[in-house]
Amino acid sequence: MLENYSKYINELFDKPDSVLMIDADGYVEYSATYDHALACLSKDNYIGKHILDVYPSLTKETSTHFRVMRTNRPIINEKQNLIDMYGNHYSFVNSSFPITSESGTPIGSIEFSILISKNHIPHKKSSDVKDSGSLNSRKKLYTVDDIITENPTMQAIKKDILKLSSSSSCAMIWGETGTGKELIAESLHIASRNKGSFVSVNCSALPASLFESLLFGTKKGSFTGAEDKKGLLEMADGGTLFLDELNSMDISLQPKLLKVIEQQKFRPIGSEKEVEVNVRFIAAMNMNPEDAVSTGLLRQDLYYRLDVIDIHIPPLRERPEDILPIIDHYIHYYSQQMDKNIEGLTSLAKNALVNNDWPGNIRELRNSIEYAVNMTTGKYITLQELPARILPRKSTLEELNLPSVMPDLGQSAFSLQNHLNDYEKTIILNTLQKSENITAAAKKLGLTRQALQYKMQKHHIIWEKKIILP
């Protein structure tokens, strides 16, 4: 079992960039990537896919997952260069461990990865971090001033955080994935009188079999491979323990957590002595806590104990006035990171972003701007540099509201050619979506099929069974 490799895993838990678990057939059971801006593991969209589809550059012979299942032995710190299903090039240092049944038969594997580079750009964690305590010396904690908003509800939350500066009460933060719940939690910690470490754990990113030892710590000899290691509770002593995605915590662990919150003491695994702590607990979840209770994901007594301070973060689609300020922030941030001089967006690109639904909220918006900055070579981000998933939702000329965004070229700093390219791409997308095939679209546009195909290639538009990917 995984406990046999606890020494290696405990060391890796402080520094992995991603975690991926597969079953014996190679299908992804769990996959999460470390978000350095939000300081937590966040689930990605690989779950349910086959590992060889996720990374087409791999084979059963080269995959560390399949190799550890064949040998039933771990592979520690092996460097791999991979290409994922989206064409991204990664360089990882992977540590892979077999997951076995009680009889010792491999039934899956789990892999912890440290990212070296993405698309040949070195991965730098240090740019996102600064000293904030013993555990979080690799990460700058956010303050209330880092909350970018013009929305009245969010401005009220900022005021409430400042009002709670003398409080050490438990808090429950809830909202959709990507809304910035950890940012709020860190701001509460910084504003409070608890000046110890801010310790964050994502409850959905850890198997239940390892969570208890991570939370309470272990004593040497408590099980095979166990070492003396402080748990997260002891690390958070005098500070804050942030429990992200609490509704994903195994229900059997919740009474133990409740007891710690009530008594402020616990017993490490394998120890005969209890440890007393002074910890503030802040929890977060991506659903309404009352719904989590009614569906059996969260114990009612734990909910009532944690929900002393209740903070609901509205999704980005309900605060559209925040979209442009956040975009400006991340354009500036990523331009500095990539040593570029990007001044802003063309009118069409700006309108497309403002009119997007943003189901992934701020995280999706930030990732979209990071992608666009990567792709942009000029001073302004155009439609052509936005991710393919953005335009299909708002791609018709009417939805893009072209007449209202006509630029005043006399005062524009970016080129006429950028505008023309934007309009041409939008018109082609609009026509393709209303046509049965490329030939019909070419006829409507007064072009030959070959001419339209050339322009589609120029604008990176892909036609596949009426699915148009700009």
Side-chain angles (χ1 to χ4, degrees):
M1 297 300 290
L2 289 176
E3 284 84 353
N4 295 332
Y5 310 118
S6 62
K7 178 181 179 180
Y8 299 108
I9 293 174
N10 284 336
E11 291 173 355
L12 289 166
F13 268 130
D14 287 339
K15 54 190 176 186
D17 291 302
S18 63
V19 180
L20 194 147
M21 183 187 299
I22 70 170
D23 64 17
D25 295 319
Y27 289 93
V28 178
E29 293 283 349
Y30 183 82
S31 180
T33 302
Y34 192 84
D35 187 321
H36 288 281
L38 298 178
C40 65
L41 281 163
S42 302
K43 291 182 181 179
D44 54 35
N45 61 351
Y46 293 156
I47 297 174
K49 296 180 172 63
H50 197 277
I51 185 66
L52 300 185
D53 292 330
V54 173
Y55 293 109
S57 60
L58 285 177
T59 66
K60 283 191 174 182
E61 288 67 37
T62 59
S63 167
T64 48
H65 285 278
F66 282 107
R67 285 158 55 199
V68 298
M69 285 192 287
R70 280 198 303 271
T71 63
N72 207 9
R73 297 177 64 182
I75 295 173
I76 307 296
N77 294 338
E78 179 177 297
K79 184 177 179 181
Q80 279 196 311
N81 296 315
L82 305 174
I83 301 175
D84 72 3
M85 58 196 296
Y86 304 112
N88 294 307
H89 291 251
Y90 293 94
S91 182
F92 287 115
V93 172
N94 294 326
S95 293
S96 311
F97 304 88
I99 301 174
T100 60
S101 64
E102 292 183 2
S103 64
T105 303
I107 58 174
S109 65
I110 185 170
E111 183 169 83
F112 300 87
S113 300
I114 298 172
L115 180 61
I116 300 174
S117 66
K118 178 180 178 181
N119 293 325
H120 311 296
I121 299 174
H123 180 61
K124 298 180 180 179
K125 297 181 184 180
S126 59
S127 60
D128 295 322
V129 302
K130 74 179 183 185
D131 188 23
S132 59
S134 60
L135 182 71
N136 291 289
S137 60
R138 54 196 179 85
K139 177 182 180 297
K140 172 188 175 181
L141 295 184
Y142 292 107
T143 71
V144 69
D145 293 330
D146 293 311
I147 302 173
I148 302 169
T149 185
E150 295 180 4
N151 176 263
T153 300
M154 292 300 297
Q155 289 177 342
I157 289 174
K158 291 178 69 172
K159 291 180 182 178
D160 287 344
I161 290 172
L162 296 176
K163 290 178 184 177
L164 296 165
S165 60
S166 62
S167 173
S168 59
S169 298
C170 294
M172 177 73 76
I173 306 168
W174 59 283
E176 293 180 7
T177 298
T179 49
K181 296 183 285 294
E182 184 147 359
L183 187 155
I184 301 298
E186 291 181 4
S187 299
L188 276 170
H189 170 76
I190 292 297
S192 74
R193 65 189 183 199
N194 291 41
K195 296 307 180 184
S197 296
F198 179 90
V199 180
S200 173
V201 58
N202 189 308
C203 299
S204 72
L206 300 172
S209 59
L210 294 176
F211 189 89
E212 193 170 351
S213 60
L214 184 69
L215 192 65
F216 300 128
T218 59
K219 288 296 180 181
K220 187 173 182 178
S222 56
F223 54 84
T224 304
E227 300 288 339
D228 287 330
K229 187 172 179 67
K230 288 184 178 180
L232 296 179
L233 284 166
E234 198 169 352
M235 293 179 185
D237 188 21
T240 300
L241 179 61
F242 177 59
L243 300 159
D244 197 11
E245 296 196 43
L246 180 66
N247 50 304
S248 298
M249 177 185 282
D250 191 282
I251 199 75
S252 66
L253 295 173
Q254 294 183 22
K256 299 176 183 180
L257 175 62
L258 177 62
K259 184 178 179 181
V260 173
I261 296 172
E262 294 283 2
Q263 299 181 357
Q264 291 284 306
K265 58 184 179 181
F266 63 94
R267 183 174 295 169
I269 295 176
S271 174
E272 298 179 354
K273 296 181 180 180
E274 288 189 325
V275 177
E276 293 188 4
V277 291
N278 176 23
V279 176
R280 182 187 193 180
F281 292 86
I282 300 178
M285 56 180 61
N286 54 16
M287 63 186 298
N288 189 317
E290 293 181 355
D291 292 339
V293 171
S294 64
T295 56
L297 296 174
L298 182 68
R299 287 176 59 100
Q300 190 175 52
D301 49 5
L302 179 59
Y303 164 55
Y304 288 142
R305 186 62 189 86
L306 287 169
D307 197 44
V308 178
I309 299 167
D310 184 279
I311 299 175
H312 173 230
I313 307 177
L316 192 55
R317 62 181 174 276
E318 293 180 8
R319 43 188 176 113
E321 63 270 42
D322 285 348
I323 293 176
L324 285 179
I326 293 171
I327 287 172
D328 290 341
H329 168 76
Y330 282 117
I331 287 177
H332 176 71
Y333 174 79
Y334 287 116
S335 292
Q336 284 190 325
Q337 292 289 303
M338 301 176 198
D339 196 25
K340 293 188 175 184
N341 184 26
I342 298 176
E343 297 181 11
L345 302 153
T346 64
S347 299
L348 281 182
K350 182 183 296 184
N351 209 51
L353 291 171
V354 168
N355 284 287
N356 194 56
D357 292 333
W358 299 115
N361 294 293
I362 295 172
R363 181 180 293 122
E364 182 187 7
L365 176 57
R366 187 192 70 231
N367 291 343
S368 298
I369 298 303
E370 181 181 4
Y371 173 88
V373 172
N374 268 296
M375 301 302 292
T376 301
T377 56
K379 289 187 176 182
Y380 290 86
I381 297 171
T382 72
L383 280 177
Q384 297 178 66
E385 283 88 48
L386 296 182
R389 65 180 180 274
I390 301 300
L391 280 180
R393 298 190 186 104
K394 301 285 184 182
S395 58
T396 68
L397 294 175
E398 293 80 9
E399 287 172 321
L400 282 173
N401 195 21
L402 291 182
S404 68
V405 297
M406 288 293 290
D408 180 359
L409 293 177
Q411 299 179 10
S412 177
F414 42 86
S415 71
L416 172 63
Q417 189 60 49
N418 283 338
H419 288 296
L420 293 176
N421 286 335
D422 275 356
Y423 285 123
E424 183 177 66
K425 181 175 181 178
T426 304
I427 292 168
I428 290 173
L429 285 167
N430 181 60
T431 305
L432 284 167
Q433 289 187 337
K434 295 180 178 179
S435 304
E436 291 297 320
N437 51 48
I438 294 177
T439 301
K443 186 175 181 181
K444 291 177 183 179
L445 292 168
L447 299 170
T448 65
R449 178 185 172 88
Q450 291 77 11
L452 177 55
Q453 287 178 318
Y454 168 78
K455 290 181 179 293
M456 289 170 63
Q457 184 178 12
K458 167 187 170 185
H459 294 300
H460 307 289
I461 299 172
I462 300 172
W463 170 283
E464 183 179 349
K465 296 181 180 178
K466 288 208 70 178
I467 300 174
I468 305 166
L469 303 174

